[in-house]
Amino acid sequence: MGCILGLLCPCFQPKTPESVRSKTIEQELRTQQKQEESIINLLMLGAGECGKSTVVKQMRIIYSTGFDDSEKLTFTPIIRDNVIRSIAMILQSMIYLGIKFDDCSLESLAEEIRDFQKDFDVTKNSEIPNKIVDAVEKLWTDPGLQSCFSRSNEYNLIDSAKYFLEKIRVIASSSYLPTVDDVIRSRDQTTAVKEIVIDVQTRQHRGTFRIIDVGGQRTQRRKWIHAFDNVTAVIWVAALSDYDLTLQEDPKRLTNRMQESLVLFESTIHMPIFRCKNIVLFLNKTDIFKEKIMFSPISKHFPACTSGDNYEQGREFFSNQFLSKNQSEKRRIYRHYTCATDTNALANLTNSVVNTIIEDVLVKTGLA
């Protein structure tokens, strides 16, 4: 009887181990597909050195588990490399800019550091000898070196150079464990597409975000296209403090970083895949920008800017430069001023951004 019913109606066919296994796999695939469809893909874009990776680190700290001690330790060689490269860059720039030490006897210490940096390979050994630490501390107090440091807009120096150089003895210690602030300020060039998935809970909404971070240097931009599929929203990060800096990848040092960011922003948002995507614009490094405009006039690099050393007018000038690039009536650009190294301030801001993105998704899917 069972065989007859099985022939007449497939639903009466007896369950075999293979059919049960197949059904289980199908259910798991459907569940995974639903979960994948519910994830909000957030793409982080911007030119090199703008602070994208710092924002991603902060979002991990704010919304996820942050960094445990074992993960912090992985940043030790990166931070030690940052500090040695920073002092070596300043010393090299003193030669380039024709700046002398006030204390000429320090030249021998400078030569020691240059020689040490040439052979310093953190992948093999990241230890910094005490004599190098002593040398860096003595050199850092010299007015001549400080004069060169104050002109760091004329060469490529990481933003956290002063922060790390002033704590080199702690960093060089054998018991050194990077703090959260050290991790945030560390600089390691993004050379691959990196992803983190975080569950975000605000007072208004809850959602799962996949944050995709890609390198901003010219050599890395060819990888961007591989991260464009199924993007829900884009966060574009631009450093306000880039207005008087030149592009690191430009050997002739003729390309202004802010101009590069503006051109890249315009060309990217007008790509067909982004034509109807809303953009969250982070004008980053407001703290550095606020200090810098007091001694480095914006008008020297952007003659149309008449703000002088007025912080609010200066940042508004660059905000208008970016917003004017939007030629699509179907797209909105949400502009925010940010300091990516300030966790508390960024937490308040990202809550607002998350709510905006989720509400946009709800509207587009007809659920709002």
Side-chain angles (χ1 to χ4, degrees), residues 144-254:
L145 185 138
Q146 286 295 319
S147 174
C148 184
F149 173 72
S150 70
R151 294 172 61 180
S152 59
N153 66 304
E154 298 178 50
Y155 54 97
N156 289 298
L157 187 67
I158 61 172
D159 296 326
S160 53
K162 179 179 180 181
Y163 173 84
F164 286 136
L165 283 167
E166 290 184 343
K167 58 182 301 185
I168 186 172
R169 191 164 295 277
V170 173
I171 292 169
S173 168
S174 59
S175 59
Y176 173 59
L177 175 66
T179 65
V180 172
D181 205 23
D182 294 347
V183 170
I184 290 170
R185 292 174 182 271
S186 64
R187 170 64 184 147
D188 187 26
Q189 187 180 100
T190 303
T191 56
V193 177
K194 298 180 180 179
E195 296 183 5
I196 64 166
V197 177
I198 55 175
D199 291 313
V200 177
Q201 175 76 60
T202 71
R203 291 182 179 180
Q204 290 83 14
H205 298 289
R206 181 177 182 176
T208 301
F209 283 73
R210 177 184 288 113
I211 303 173
I212 307 161
D213 179 22
V214 293
Q217 281 75 18
R218 285 178 172 176
T219 55
Q220 300 300 315
R221 292 173 197 165
R222 65 180 182 274
K223 301 176 184 176
W224 287 14
I225 193 68
H226 303 296
F228 287 171
D229 292 339
N230 302 315
V231 169
T232 309
V234 174
I235 291 184
W236 187 278
V237 184
L240 284 170
S241 56
D242 276 357
Y243 72 89
D244 66 345
L245 298 175
T246 55
L247 202 63
Q248 185 175 356
E249 305 98 288
D250 182 0
K252 296 183 179 179
R253 299 180 55 81
L254 298 175

Side-chain angles (χ1 to χ4, degrees), residues 115-150:
D115 290 341
F116 175 75
Q117 192 271 330
K118 289 176 184 176
D119 298 322
F120 189 57
D121 184 352
V122 294
T123 62
K124 297 177 180 177
N125 182 8
S126 68
E127 292 182 5
I128 303 175
N130 284 334
K131 68 173 186 176
I132 296 297
V133 175
D134 294 339
V136 170
E137 288 182 335
K138 287 179 182 177
L139 291 169
W140 182 244
T141 61
D142 183 79
L145 185 138
Q146 286 295 319
S147 174
C148 184
F149 173 72
S150 70

Side-chain angles (χ1 to χ4, degrees), residues 20 142 156 167 198 223 236 285 287 307 309 327 332 352:
V20 172
D142 183 79
N156 289 298
K167 58 182 301 185
I198 55 175
K223 301 176 184 176
W236 187 278
K285 303 189 181 182
D287 53 334
S307 64
D309 60 4
Q327 304 298 321
R332 293 187 63 185
S352 173

Side-chain angles (χ1 to χ4, degrees), residues 231-233 276-278 330-331 357-368:
V231 169
T232 309
C276 298
K277 300 288 185 185
N278 289 335
K330 297 180 180 180
R331 174 180 49 232
I357 292 171
I358 293 177
E359 285 163 10
D360 280 348
V361 171
L362 294 174
V363 168
K364 289 178 179 178
T365 55
L367 297 175

